[in-house]
Amino acid sequence: DIQMAQSPSTLSASVGDRVTITCRASHTVSPWLAWYHQKPGKAPKLLIYKATTLQSGVPSRFSGSGSGTEFTLTISALQPDDFGTYYCQHYKSYPYNFGLGTKLEIK
Amino acid sequence: QVQLVQSGAEVKKPGASVKVSCQASGYRFNVNFIHWIRQAPGQGLEWMGWVNPHSGDTNYDQKFRARVIMTRDTSISTVYMELSRLTSDDTAIYYCARDPMHGDYPFYHFDYWGQGTLVTVSS
């Protein structure tokens, strides 16, 4: 199985900050990597797929990069609505594991 | 617009079964695989399996294979997930989620999600 590790596990940042979240896979998964955002009490929302492709309707301040085993989600200028937990997920092969999440708090 | 609407919260006793429904609208139901993903309280996301609404074919994660059944009713654009022999470890929010598909093939990520169904297992 391919395991996904995210860092940091928690993050506190201010509105307007540039924020970076990292996801590392135990084996290469490129480019089959997605990012999701989940607010408390809500279902996750797809942000990025195929490592770098922005899902339709997602603000352009979100971007994805990386290849092989290391990937990054960047929020260029943090907005108040961006709080919550971010998950990466690989879909290289069964089972399609998620990372444990990065909880983003707004200062 | 694409919507996945799930059935309401359930409380079950250990050893019982639960069946959660997910009704799709806003797109051609037969085209996109539907996955089930669960989230235990305060925990991360766990993929359980998928159902192909067109054929009824399924594929389950090995962890659930012995006690999960995913089915569909095309007449009402609804998929179901039934989990048997429940234990307290099955207490979680269960989500259905649509696969965006790559032509006729599943893409194995999830572009639309249901609102979630809380299943509580307690004696």
Side-chain angles (χ1 to χ4, degrees), chain B residues 70-107:
Chain B
M70 297 177 187
T71 57
R72 92 289 192 218
D73 184 339
T74 57
S75 68
I76 55 172
S77 301
T78 298
V79 298
Y80 303 91
M81 188 283 300
E82 184 171 17
L83 190 62
S84 61
R85 302 196 297 278
L86 293 168
T87 73
S88 58
D89 289 343
D90 295 315
T91 293
I93 298 173
Y94 289 78
Y95 294 102
C96 62
R98 194 185 81 157
D99 191 303
M101 305 296 288
H102 187 62
D104 291 336
Y105 297 96
F107 224 164

Side-chain angles (χ1 to χ4, degrees), chain A residues 6-80:
Chain A
Q6 288 184 234
S7 61
S9 56
T10 61
L11 176 59
S12 183
S14 300
V15 172
D17 283 354
R18 182 181 182 89
V19 169
T20 299
I21 298 168
T22 298
C23 178
R24 290 185 175 87
S26 59
H27 298 82
T28 185
V29 299
S30 191
W32 313 115
L33 192 284
W35 289 96
Y36 302 86
H37 175 213
Q38 185 178 35
K39 293 182 179 179
K42 299 294 186 182
K45 174 187 172 185
L46 177 65
L47 299 175
I48 303 280
Y49 63 94
K50 213 173 174 184
T52 62
T53 304
L54 195 67
Q55 172 69 355
S56 175
V58 173
S60 59
R61 64 180 181 272
F62 292 93
S63 64
S65 63
S67 63
T69 62
E70 188 159 333
F71 301 87
T72 299
L73 174 71
T74 300
I75 308 173
S76 61
L78 194 65
Q79 298 300 303

Side-chain angles (χ1 to χ4, degrees), chain B residues 1-92:
Chain B
Q1 71 283 19
V2 174
Q3 279 194 300
L4 299 174
V5 178
Q6 298 182 223
S7 49
E10 303 264 11
V11 179
K12 296 292 183 181
K13 293 195 182 301
S17 298
V18 68
K19 191 171 185 178
V20 180
S21 68
C22 170
Q23 185 169 39
S25 62
Y27 71 99
R28 286 179 58 203
F29 176 69
N30 282 356
V31 171
N32 299 73
F33 284 25
I34 295 291
H35 300 260
W36 289 90
I37 297 136
R38 77 176 187 179
Q39 186 171 37
Q43 302 301 309
L45 298 160
E46 184 174 32
W47 178 79
M48 299 179 68
W50 55 254
V51 56
N52 178 345
H54 175 67
S55 65
D57 289 345
T58 56
N59 186 33
Y60 308 135
D61 186 277
Q62 184 175 0
K63 177 178 177 178
F64 302 101
R65 197 162 290 160
R67 59 190 188 100
V68 72
I69 300 173
M70 297 177 187
T71 57
R72 92 289 192 218
D73 184 339
T74 57
S75 68
I76 55 172
S77 301
T78 298
V79 298
Y80 303 91
M81 188 283 300
E82 184 171 17
L83 190 62
S84 61
R85 302 196 297 278
L86 293 168
T87 73
S88 58
D89 289 343
D90 295 315
T91 293

